[in-house]
Amino acid sequence: MPEISEKMRKKMEQRRKDVASRSGGKIPIFTIKEGTTRMRTLPVGDEQDFAVEGSYIFINKDLGGFISPTTWGEKCAWSSHVEKLLSSKDPDDKKLAERMKAKRRFFSPHIKYSDDKGKEVDTASGAKLLILTNGQYQAMIDLYLEDEYGDMTDPIEGYDLKFKRTGTGKMDTEYSVIPCKSSKLPKEFRKVYDVEAMMRELTPSFEETKEKLSQFLKTEVGVSDDDGDGERPAKKDKKKKKKKKASE
């Protein structure tokens, strides 16, 4: 992999600390809560996908989660510990390892609205990565490829998305993705966002993953079974062609 200059490494490490301090130690990232959340996928240019796949580790609601360095082929103390548990002969170790294993998720730059009509942007949150399940990402691709909807990231002719979530547990959580009518992206967000750069900025170093693992093991709070994703495929929630209509 390309080497990073020492100057740039120090700069990015400091930026990462600044971001962590502003977020209370938790990763500053959007997750879809129960109910309906209206969002806008931000422009990413013609050379990259609007979402990038990564390895995500959710610890629990108190400690949050993080993008694993293994996303970039780098060492992660948490993942190394999981491998150690998996090689154990103790059934409890293997069970814990299965719950601690990283999940493949997709990350995409978004803004969030404070209302369902898309009239007020949540400016306090600003532009952040949204974590997507495989089903949500597939639903967005389906919309992207349909002539009726097309590129939701276009700043002028694109459209907002309503993410609906029902259920709170791992087994009963379902999502749907609803396209809204075409609208202009607020001017302050009309720029090209580098998804991978945003992800790298939020990826902890090996030493930081050691700290997260140590904190988890000391508190023995356990790993949540519900990382708020749900594995069921997301639905585009559209009616048949003749009755299909975008949300307001």
Side-chain angles (χ1 to χ4, degrees):
M1 298 183 69
E3 293 186 3
I4 303 173
S5 69
E6 189 62 27
K7 180 179 179 180
M8 182 56 69
R9 182 178 294 278
K10 289 182 179 180
K11 179 180 179 180
M12 296 305 292
E13 286 178 349
Q14 182 58 50
R15 184 176 297 177
R16 179 165 55 197
K17 291 178 181 179
D18 292 341
V19 170
S21 65
R22 292 197 301 270
S23 62
K26 291 187 178 181
I27 184 169
I29 203 166
F30 286 130
T31 57
I32 302 300
K33 307 299 182 182
E34 188 174 10
T36 301
T37 305
R38 183 167 181 147
M39 310 193 78
R40 180 65 171 250
T41 315
L42 297 172
V44 296
D46 298 327
E47 301 301 319
Q48 62 175 334
D49 193 353
F50 60 77
V52 173
E53 189 175 8
S55 183
Y56 183 69
I57 296 170
F58 182 83
I59 306 174
N60 56 40
K61 292 181 180 179
D62 292 323
L63 299 178
F66 61 95
I67 297 173
S68 172
T70 58
T71 298
W72 319 111
E74 300 168 1
K75 293 197 302 182
C76 172
W78 183 284
S79 297
S80 296
H81 186 72
V82 170
E83 291 300 318
K84 182 178 179 181
L85 291 174
L86 286 172
S87 64
S88 170
K89 295 182 180 180
D90 188 336
D92 289 337
D93 286 345
K94 292 184 180 295
K95 184 177 180 180
L96 178 59
E98 288 299 322
R99 296 171 64 195
M100 290 177 66
K101 283 171 64 174
K103 295 183 178 180
R104 304 302 295 179
R105 291 291 177 261
F106 295 87
F107 299 86
S108 178
H110 280 71
I111 54 171
K112 183 175 70 172
Y113 291 92
S114 301
D115 63 309
D116 288 346
K117 297 294 184 180
K119 295 182 179 180
E120 183 180 351
V121 176
D122 181 0
T123 54
S125 296
K128 297 197 300 188
L129 291 173
L130 169 66
I131 183 169
L132 299 163
T133 65
N134 184 63
Q136 290 170 317
Y137 179 50
Q138 287 182 339
M140 289 176 67
I141 291 177
D142 288 345
L143 290 171
Y144 187 94
L145 294 176
E146 283 196 24
D147 293 337
E148 183 174 351
Y149 295 105
D151 184 4
M152 69 280 291
T153 72
D154 188 282
I156 306 301
E157 299 180 347
Y159 50 94
D160 300 337
L161 295 171
K162 287 183 180 180
F163 291 89
K164 277 192 174 183
R165 170 181 170 173
T166 59
T168 56
K170 188 173 183 179
M171 301 305 295
D172 68 343
T173 298
E174 290 188 355
Y175 291 100
S176 59
V177 181
I178 308 168
C180 299
K181 292 181 179 179
S182 177
S183 62
K184 293 182 179 180
L185 176 69
K187 290 183 179 180
E188 60 267 37
F189 299 104
R190 292 180 194 174
K191 64 177 186 178
V192 175
Y193 292 81
D194 188 330
V195 188
E196 186 171 308
M198 293 174 72
M199 291 174 63
R200 283 184 175 274
E201 186 175 329
L202 298 177
T203 304
S205 66
F206 177 75
E207 290 301 320
E208 288 169 330
T209 63
K210 285 178 65 176
E211 292 176 8
K212 293 178 183 295
L213 177 62
S214 176
Q215 184 180 13
F216 163 72
L217 294 177
K218 285 179 181 177
T219 55
E220 296 183 350
V221 293
V223 183
S224 172
D225 281 326
D226 173 28
D227 62 359
D229 56 29
E231 292 293 345
R232 300 185 183 185
K235 299 176 290 184
K236 288 182 289 181
D237 204 12
K238 301 179 299 173
K239 297 180 180 180
K240 293 182 179 180
K241 288 282 185 179
K242 292 182 180 180
K243 299 181 179 180
K244 188 161 48 179
K245 182 181 180 181
S247 177
E248 295 292 341

